Amino acid sequence: MTGSVHQFKVAAAAGKVSIDRDSAEAMATKVDAIADRAERRLGYFRFLRQDVKLGSSPVAKLMSQQDQASAAGFPDSAYENLLLYIETLRDLASAIRASARATSQTDEDSAASMNQIDR
């Protein structure tokens, strides 16, 4: 997903993406709403960081440690992936809005150029 969003951002920055301002804002607002919901999910990880007693045996203790690490203890843990997902969504919303601004500016420039030709 991050690669696709990056490609979109590059294309948008290069002016290769055309999008109506109202449509862009509607899309970006929906993407922001998804990111907001994902951010609210971050709170669930505080529970996963707790030491959950699965028993007193060495296997139970190891399972508890592995559960914590999988949830929020490694660079590729669920927590870190959720953070990356949120960041990618925010980048996408920003790129959508930037693309709309570029399209609007191109339209204005084209209109001005056409008006110059008419004179």
Side-chain angles (χ1 to χ4, degrees):
M1 182 173 147
T2 57
S4 296
V5 170
H6 177 72
Q7 288 174 345
F8 177 78
K9 285 173 54 177
V10 169
K16 295 180 181 179
V17 178
S18 265
I19 190 165
D20 171 73
R21 186 178 295 264
D22 293 335
S23 297
E25 188 54 39
M27 282 188 286
T29 298
K30 287 180 182 180
V31 172
D32 278 336
I34 295 167
D36 290 343
R37 283 193 307 272
E39 277 185 351
R40 288 192 297 272
R41 304 281 188 288
L42 288 172
Y44 296 137
F45 284 92
R46 85 171 166 266
F47 297 113
L48 297 173
R49 288 191 172 131
Q50 296 177 35
D51 184 24
V52 178
K53 301 292 184 196
L54 299 175
S56 59
S57 74
V59 172
K61 290 177 183 178
L62 180 61
M63 286 174 56
S64 178
Q65 290 169 351
Q66 288 177 337
D67 286 349
Q68 283 182 299
S70 295
F74 293 127
D76 60 347
S77 67
Y79 180 79
E80 296 300 325
N81 279 303
L82 185 57
L83 288 176
L84 181 59
Y85 178 66
I86 293 164
E87 179 182 337
T88 301
L89 289 170
R90 298 286 185 213
D91 284 350
L92 177 59
S94 176
I96 290 169
R97 288 183 175 103
S99 178
R101 285 191 300 274
T103 299
S104 180
Q105 186 61 50
T106 299
D107 290 349
E108 289 172 15
D109 293 347
S110 295
S113 178
M114 293 295 229
N115 288 335
Q116 291 292 352
I117 293 171
D118 285 344
R119 291 183 185 173

